[in-house]
Amino acid sequence: MGIKENLDIVENRIANACEACGRKRSEVKLVAVSKTKPLTDLEEAYAYGCRDFGENKVQELVDKYEALPKDIRWHMIGHLQRNKVKYIVDKVFLIHSVDSLRLAEEIEKEAAKKAVTVNILVEVNVAGEESKFGTTVSEAVSLVEKISQMPHICVKGLMTIAPYVEDAEDNRRFFAKLKQIYVDIIHKNIDNVFMEELSMGMTGDYEVAIIEGATYVRVGTGIFGERKYKAN
Ligand SMILES: *Cc1c(COP(=O)(O)O)cnc(C)c1O
């Protein structure tokens, strides 16, 4: 099946999930996760209306940024190394994967140099998986508080990567937990923190994530098909 057909299916499923829980379709934004995919695939999705693309590697994001139209909103969704922050601070629309104070400090430094404000989400490892990045649940609020004092960073919300599961229902509690942390932070009324976005849900579980309050779902395989990684 082609990208257009896949996008129609994803769009339908998002609309149905919104309807099932009484949310407006406009409350949920789709990030087309295009990592490893060639420019032609992104161009096809772009022609069909996609403007939000997600990448997890700095070099790949920069290459695609340079090759594609400037009205694309680029989302950095992968683990970000501090020494690479400088290449993307003025190119990304939103960094979903800020998981430490040291990374935030680097973003602040590079954003100040380029006189930009960077929108970020704090990544929380809600499921506590050892293999995953993200701050712990218990540290999430204090990390948000510390980052909120950085003048060139705007905290827009939270992100999580849920475990890979056969049954999406198994991740519902993790999505609900992220939402709860989000609400707790809203109630703290922290200056310079705008809790608006909850980035959660991927191909296998985005409908459950929407029902639990996602504002961004990150869908790769469901749009572009399986990824092929080079074995080397
Ligand atoms: C790859 C990736 C996705 C998309 O995963 P699919 O299962 O292909 O939809 C979403 N979020 C992050 C952080 C990713 O790295």
Side-chain angles (χ1 to χ4, degrees):
M1 221 173 338
I3 291 169
K4 283 183 184 168
E5 290 81 2
N6 287 342
L7 276 166
D8 281 338
I9 291 168
V10 172
E11 178 52 43
N12 263 318
R13 288 174 55 176
I14 292 174
N16 287 339
C18 287
E19 199 171 305
C21 62
R23 297 182 67 195
K24 290 203 221 79
R25 171 63 189 89
S26 58
E27 290 173 34
V28 181
K29 299 171 287 283
L30 172 64
V31 176
V33 176
S34 48
K35 62 191 187 196
T36 80
K37 296 295 174 182
L39 287 176
T40 47
D41 283 7
L42 284 78
E43 281 160 352
E44 197 174 334
Y46 180 91
Y48 208 51
C50 285
R51 291 297 179 271
D52 292 274
F53 290 91
E55 292 286 336
N56 68 342
K57 296 238 158 56
V58 165
Q59 185 65 52
E60 194 174 339
L61 189 153
V62 170
D63 289 346
K64 287 173 172 170
Y65 172 92
E66 273 157 14
L68 291 170
K70 289 293 169 283
D71 62 342
I72 288 176
R73 294 179 288 268
W74 292 99
H75 297 258
M76 177 62 193
I77 62 173
H79 181 62
L80 181 54
Q81 288 170 295
R82 281 178 294 139
N83 62 352
K84 296 194 173 155
V85 165
K86 56 177 175 282
Y87 302 116
I88 60 160
V89 278
D90 55 346
K91 298 184 178 66
V92 282
F93 177 74
L94 182 64
I95 301 175
H96 292 230
S97 46
V98 176
D99 61 352
S100 73
L101 190 58
R102 293 204 320 158
L103 174 58
E105 283 166 350
E106 184 66 21
I107 295 170
E108 169 60 28
K109 190 181 100 196
E110 293 300 327
K113 272 192 208 165
K114 295 201 164 76
V116 293
T117 302
V118 182
N119 292 324
I120 66 121
L121 305 180
V122 167
E123 178 176 354
V124 187
N125 184 359
V126 184
E129 285 183 290
E130 257 173 54
S131 58
K132 295 259 165 74
F133 293 101
T135 184
T136 63
V137 169
S138 59
E139 285 166 323
V141 178
S142 81
L143 182 58
V144 168
E145 279 171 336
K146 285 176 191 144
I147 299 175
S148 73
Q149 310 194 356
M150 300 180 186
H152 297 86
I153 297 184
C154 186
V155 181
K156 290 283 187 187
L158 304 177
M159 177 269 221
T160 197
I161 304 175
Y164 179 79
V165 289
E166 292 288 324
D167 182 357
E169 280 300 325
D170 293 343
N171 281 336
R172 184 182 292 277
R173 62 200 163 115
F174 300 127
F175 299 141
K177 181 74 193 171
L178 194 71
K179 172 79 187 249
Q180 187 203 315
I181 302 168
Y182 168 95
V183 170
D184 288 348
I185 293 172
I186 290 174
H187 287 152
K188 286 187 159 260
N189 253 317
I190 307 166
D191 277 349
N192 194 34
V193 171
F194 302 84
M195 280 285 139
E196 293 163 0
E197 310 294 359
L198 268 178
S199 171
M200 56 190 196
M202 314 187 354
T203 296
D205 55 20
Y206 63 90
E207 289 143 301
V208 174
I210 288 169
I211 291 166
E212 295 303 325
T215 66
Y216 275 114
V217 291
R218 309 177 307 264
V219 180
T221 312
I223 296 172
F224 298 107
E226 296 287 337
R227 287 175 292 275
K228 291 188 194 75
Y229 289 97
K230 281 188 214 99
N232 64 343

